[in-house]
Amino acid sequence: MIALFRRYQVYYLLCFSIVLVGLLVLLTIDKGDIVLFFNGVDSAVLDSIFFYVTKLGELIGGIFVFVLVYFFGFEKKYLLVCIASILITSLAAQGLKNTIYKSERRPEYSYNDLKYIEGLERHKQNSFPSGHTTAVFTFITLIALGVRKSVFQWILPFLGAAVGISRVYLGQHYFNDVVAGAVLGLLLTSIVHLVFMKYNWISSDEELD
């Protein structure tokens, strides 16, 4: 694991920094107040931006991963890592949502006067962890480790953070749901990658471009 962090240190340091900032925010500000803060932002432009940004944590984000890895990845076998990672992280997030934390309510349950955003359907149940944030951190980690372009190491963590913020901005999740989703996607995908390397199912000698 340490060797993996060293190899992709920019990506992991940025992701860890984002998670750390999230934890510090949670220690200083009530999770409900964070939702209300974003809900108080009156901007049709931001409403539209976050409405579409959040979709990167859905099917379209997964398709983007497979296209990038297929055409620009270091080897086609890495598609198996993508499939395994997406399945494992999805099962983990949905399993937590529907078993251990099935009683966790979303902001819509407590704040029924959240601002209207056209086309957005808010949910009230199964808040923890954020499935979209888990998915997007799975996706960006797969790209960072599978495509191995240095530019992605700098860009992708902020893209993941944007999707996480969109979940709070849209009133779909609390901030702790998002932070947990980020950790879940990042950690489990990294472990899957390491398992594939350990058994030589993928190579490990490629350098970053």
Side-chain angles (χ1 to χ4, degrees):
M1 184 69 82
I2 294 176
L4 188 66
F5 291 162
R6 287 177 178 171
R7 190 179 189 86
Y8 303 99
Q9 58 183 312
V10 171
Y11 175 73
Y12 281 108
L13 284 173
L14 287 174
C15 285
F16 291 159
S17 297
I18 288 169
V19 170
L20 180 59
V21 169
L23 291 173
L24 291 174
V25 169
L26 286 171
L27 287 173
T28 55
I29 307 175
D30 181 79
K31 66 178 185 178
D33 290 340
I34 300 173
V35 172
L36 295 177
F37 168 78
F38 282 115
N39 187 69
V41 177
D42 186 17
S43 171
V45 173
L46 286 178
D47 291 353
S48 180
I49 289 174
F50 282 123
F51 180 82
Y52 288 104
V53 164
T54 205
K55 294 184 181 299
L56 293 175
E58 299 175 5
L59 178 61
I60 188 172
I63 293 173
F64 187 58
V65 170
F66 281 96
V67 170
L68 275 179
V69 170
Y70 184 82
F71 288 104
F72 304 105
F74 69 96
E75 59 183 2
K76 296 298 186 291
K77 288 188 296 183
Y78 198 78
L79 291 171
L80 296 175
V81 180
C82 297
I83 295 171
S85 297
I86 291 171
L87 285 175
I88 290 171
T89 56
S90 296
L91 287 172
Q94 295 306 315
L96 289 170
K97 278 175 176 290
N98 293 286
T99 55
I100 299 175
Y101 299 105
K102 63 181 179 180
S103 62
E104 291 293 316
R105 314 296 188 187
R106 300 194 188 216
E108 179 72 9
Y109 184 87
S110 301
Y111 308 105
N112 54 18
D113 58 346
L114 295 176
K115 71 175 179 178
Y116 172 77
I117 297 178
E118 186 175 356
L120 177 67
E121 179 185 358
R122 291 193 178 98
H123 305 288
K124 294 186 176 182
Q125 311 293 333
N126 304 114
S127 186
F128 186 91
S130 165
H132 279 69
T133 312
T134 302
V136 78
F137 272 86
T138 298
F139 298 158
I140 65 173
T141 303
L142 288 170
I143 295 172
L145 306 185
V147 179
R148 296 180 175 177
K149 302 290 184 182
S150 58
V151 65
F152 285 140
Q153 310 298 305
W154 293 93
I155 296 174
L156 292 172
F158 297 104
L159 183 62
V163 173
I165 291 173
S166 77
R167 303 309 291 161
V168 182
Y169 183 95
L170 296 173
Q172 293 283 36
H173 282 284
Y174 290 106
F175 209 65
N176 61 312
D177 305 334
V178 167
V179 173
V183 173
L184 195 63
L186 179 65
L187 180 61
L188 291 182
T189 304
S190 298
I191 291 173
V192 172
H193 180 93
L194 285 170
V195 169
F196 272 72
M197 281 202 316
K198 178 180 179 180
Y199 292 99
N200 296 316
W201 296 334
I202 58 173
S203 62
S204 58
D205 297 323
E206 292 288 328
E207 296 295 332
L208 290 175
D209 294 336

